[in-house]
Amino acid sequence: MTASTKGLEGIVATQSSISSIIDDQLSYVGYRIDDLAENSSFEEIIFLLWNQKLPNKSELDELKTQLAENMEIPDAIIDHLRSYDLSTVHPMAALRTAVSLLGLYDNEADVMDETANKRKAVRIQAQIATIVTSFSRIRKGQEPVKPKKDLSYAENFLYMLNGKEPEDIEIEAINKALVLHADHELNASTFTARVCVATLSDIYSGITAAIGALKGPLHGGANENVMKMLTEIGDEENAIPYIEEKLANKEKIMGMGHRVYRTGDPRAKFLREMSKELTKLTGQQKWYNMSVKIEDYIKENKGLPANVDFYSASVYHSLGLDHDIFTPLFAVSRTSGWIAHILEQYDNNRLIRPRAEYTGPELRDYVSIEQRG
Ligand SMILES: CC(=O)SCCNC(=O)CCNC(=O)[C@H](O)C(C)(C)COP(=O)(O)OP(=O)(O)OC[C@H]1O[C@@H](n2cnc3c(N)ncnc32)[C@H](O)[C@@H]1OP(=O)(O)O
Ligand SMILES: O=C([O-])CC(=O)C(=O)O
């Protein structure tokens, strides 16, 4: 292994027909992210990722109905969420455990045929939103809100989170965020999901493993940390001195840099636009202004682009989301991509088992405990 392959940089580890990043352009199943972000509902994206084609009207209506009808979670999950001290638990840890638990209440969890896997896909995609929103409400002492069958996925997410039907601008913002985060080639959490199910383990195991990988601050956890940074900075004039100090201490700036993108993350411009609009609307422009200053500074001084997690922070903050719910919302969206990759892995499976270059001691003789110093 050379320094350049550390972290498997540049290694092509599988073939996939789900999403592609070529010359810093992202597409889902051949459709440009720019077109999808402007025009698609999240349900359309789910259908596209799982079926490799855009749905016609009746296919889309059917999926929307299935998702809305499957959103309720078993009472046992709600009881579980009430059973521990939620104030000390990160929502991503709660989500990881709750999705694993969900598998215990699905009597098809270990049925591995294609049709059962598709039914489970719908259930997991539907119920993950309800787990996140129920957790959020229960820890505030509020009752969980049941989904409504006539609402879209984005609407139901906001309705179950806030207990009231959302405004159009909120629905549009959440829908676009869900579309933009849905899939991203062989990112760390998707790779984790594929490695897990390539042992022929079940979908719940794959999604649980992926949630664990997304939680880390170098991956999905960055969005929460961006808001933490902006809050610490506090005012626009503090932004550059704060960043200079971080860089001088060799600390990473959250939401900046990417393993694959060199010129820029094509999703970031949409989130930047949304951040501009929503922070203006809510009188919180300072978060957007601060973010622009940081983005410009890092681009000029480090040559690094803002990634998807950078502006999503001020977008979600403007929508009133608790900061530690940012990454769970990412997971809600990325579940669609994880499931697509899991189904693709099952479809043409081979165990994923690379090698390690051994760098430990040479072979040596065993020393009995009495003879050890
Ligand atoms: C949805 C997503 O997962 S998008 C990514 C979300 N993660 C973040 O935003 C966390 C901050 N960013 C990072 O840590 C990185 O840019 C990653 C993890 C995204 C990609 O990392 P890698 O490709 O492994 O790059 P690596 O960490 O090796 O960095 C290469 C160089 O750029 C620097 N660098 C990379 N990102 C940053 C950053 N955000 N801030 C400061 N310096 C950075 C590194 O310090 C390193 O510099 P050096 O060569 O002088 O030591
Ligand atoms: O692809 C990656 O490495 C990280 C990323 O942007 C994502 O998962 O959306």
Side-chain angles (χ1 to χ4, degrees), residues 113-126:
D113 68 65
E114 203 182 317
T115 48
N117 277 334
K118 286 221 157 138
R119 286 192 293 272
K120 282 179 279 180
V122 170
R123 289 197 283 273
I124 295 172
Q125 183 67 60

Side-chain angles (χ1 to χ4, degrees), residues 27 34 39 68 76 79 108 125 140 146 163 214 228 278 330:
S27 55
D34 288 14
N39 299 300
D79 292 345
E108 286 193 307
Q125 183 67 60
K140 291 178 179 162
K146 286 196 192 300
L214 188 74
K228 185 165 173 258
L278 289 167
F330 190 159

